[in-house]
Amino acid sequence: IVVVMVSFLRRRRTAMNKEGGRFDDDGRSCRPCVAAFVLFASIAAYLFTQFEFVSITNRQWEGSKVLTDTPLIKEDAKTIRTSYIASLTEEEGSKVLTETTLINKDTKRTRTYAPSPTEDFVAKHAVALGYSIGGVMKKPDGCNLWRNASHTKANVRPKDAKELPASFYDLHLNETLHRYRTVELPKYNQLLREFVVNNNDPTNKEGGRFDVRRRIREDGDYSVCDSLELHPDGLEGLFPSGALSKVEGNAGAGYVEPMLPPFRHPDFCFVDNPRKGDMRFVLNMEFMVHDFAAMCRRLKPHSRLVFVDIGASLDIHKNMGMQNPGFYVTELYEKFGFPFDHVYAYEIKEKDPNRVYSMLPQKLKAAYHWYNVGVNASFDSPNNPFLMLAETYTEDDYIVVKMDIDTATIEVPMVKLLLGEGKGSDNEDERLRQLRQKIPKIVDAFYFEHHIHMMQMDSYWQKTARGTILDSFRLFTGLRKLGIAAHSWV
């Protein structure tokens, strides 16, 4: 473009200088040239920028390389993977959520992730929905599914839903989402809040805490797990629309919420301006679904309950009058008979130990371990929580990890370790290698806020956004396929 414009200017100058004429017209004759040059330069810059973003986002984000249709056979320390990386073409879609079975030869335990039909459909049409695009100039709409689903007539395509494939309506998936958001999820959370332990339970006498492991030991069976069901027919009875996905593996986790954008509570999509919305919707954690009855049946009488909080600022959200997110998890688990024996809290911002101790709930103080240091993603570092977990705990223990430190250079390698894709240092010995390979087997639940390019979260993640909505599908689906109950965090 520059060469063409220079050539144009030279020709114009030559024409005006014929027969001794001077190029002197107070610059008026060149104003169209300058305007054209600015216009073409702007177009060129825009196209170049878009090319850069597309080339970046069409590469798999290195922290979420998830292989679909992947049978895994684990044999001692060796893992043999037959992999198929899905194409990002619209014809094939992004086959991210195809049901995958993993077989552990030692335990004969089968691990399966079965996404809900809605989740599976959305993932396979992710490219058509614009979810593979991301960058400064391109931010896909993470709420289009839910807003379209508010139109309850499934076979009538609303005018603002032209971007959705017609088959979305033919399959009545918008009716499923509408019922899930407006009826089933509110009912589930109501029963979650109203759940109380049987006061006649002998484990609760004299102020003792309800602990399902004690009942399993005393009864010699898992009948106590049935008492954790919120509905006579389990979560299937609470969610008859079939919107839930199902994880079986490390945690025996049972049902979980469908992995759908915007990866937080769907009510967030119905505020007047999600980019500057009410923080009660942005930080609402009641979109997560936990199948405590299934989790209970996975426990052993000797299992230890562990919670690792990576990014444990205790005063976060306090200025908004909201509960600390980490305490929300510990209180919810304890309510259903999962009191944590150990809570490991990592926080890089320096805090006064006295203030930290004063902010802790009384029931957590005996189990709380405060590490006022930053996390190191190198597996051989003493500040890597996964190394401590691998050295201390086994597959029989129940381990929950929450990570939210808003630093991709650390979060990405940590997620790769959890996916079993992390690499050791050049001088890694056999002991460290075996410990590193142990990580995906011992972590049962994982909470993580993946900062991606998405219209609704633009104002919150401006400087930390990396990757696309499709990357989030791949990341969380990859973890769930390994038997880990992975949830998006807030």
Side-chain angles (χ1 to χ4, degrees), residues 315-343:
D315 51 5
I316 187 172
H317 304 167
K318 187 177 181 181
N319 60 339
M320 292 176 274
M322 302 182 69
Q323 183 184 28
N324 179 280
F327 294 161
Y328 170 83
V329 173
T330 57
E331 290 180 9
L332 179 62
Y333 276 70
E334 181 171 351
K335 184 176 186 177
F336 282 83
F338 290 71
F340 288 106
D341 302 305
H342 298 280
V343 178

Side-chain angles (χ1 to χ4, degrees), residues 83-140:
S83 62
Y84 167 73
I85 300 179
S87 170
L88 292 182
T89 63
E90 290 195 15
E91 291 77 11
E92 295 183 355
S94 49
K95 300 175 183 176
V96 179
L97 299 181
T98 306
E99 182 172 306
T100 303
T101 300
L102 293 79
I103 301 175
N104 187 309
K105 277 194 171 181
D106 297 329
T107 62
K108 304 299 182 183
R109 184 172 61 194
T110 300
R111 304 175 181 179
T112 302
Y113 177 49
S116 69
T118 306
E119 179 182 345
D120 188 53
F121 177 91
V122 172
K124 289 178 178 178
H125 292 81
V127 174
L129 292 169
Y131 294 163
S132 62
I133 299 173
V136 177
M137 305 292 292
K138 292 286 187 179
K139 295 179 179 63

Side-chain angles (χ1 to χ4, degrees), residues 116-117 146 176-192 229-231 233-245 255-258 266 286-291:
S116 69
W146 299 101
T176 297
L177 289 177
H178 182 71
R179 179 175 177 81
Y180 173 74
R181 181 182 73 86
T182 61
V183 179
E184 297 174 346
L185 196 57
K187 182 62 176 178
Y188 165 77
N189 283 294
Q190 178 188 343
L191 294 176
L192 207 65
E229 296 283 12
L230 298 177
H231 188 277
D233 296 325
L235 289 182
E236 285 181 307
L238 273 177
F239 295 88
S241 68
L244 295 185
S245 299
Y255 289 100
V256 291
E257 72 279 1
E286 292 187 343
F287 67 95
M288 302 179 195
V289 175
H290 297 85
D291 194 342

Side-chain angles (χ1 to χ4, degrees), residues 185-205:
L185 196 57
K187 182 62 176 178
Y188 165 77
N189 283 294
Q190 178 188 343
L191 294 176
L192 207 65
R193 289 188 291 268
E194 295 175 350
F195 177 82
V196 291
V197 178
N198 182 2
N199 291 327
N200 296 322
D201 192 316
T203 62
N204 297 322
K205 292 182 178 180

Side-chain angles (χ1 to χ4, degrees), residues 56-57 61 134-135 406-409 411-412 450-454 461-469 471-472:
I56 290 172
T57 57
W61 177 53
D406 299 344
T407 307
T409 54
E411 290 175 331
V412 171
H450 185 201
H451 291 199
I452 55 175
H453 292 289
M454 184 166 55
W461 295 342
Q462 290 182 39
K463 298 180 180 179
T464 59
R466 301 288 187 277
T468 66
I469 292 176
D471 289 328
S472 280

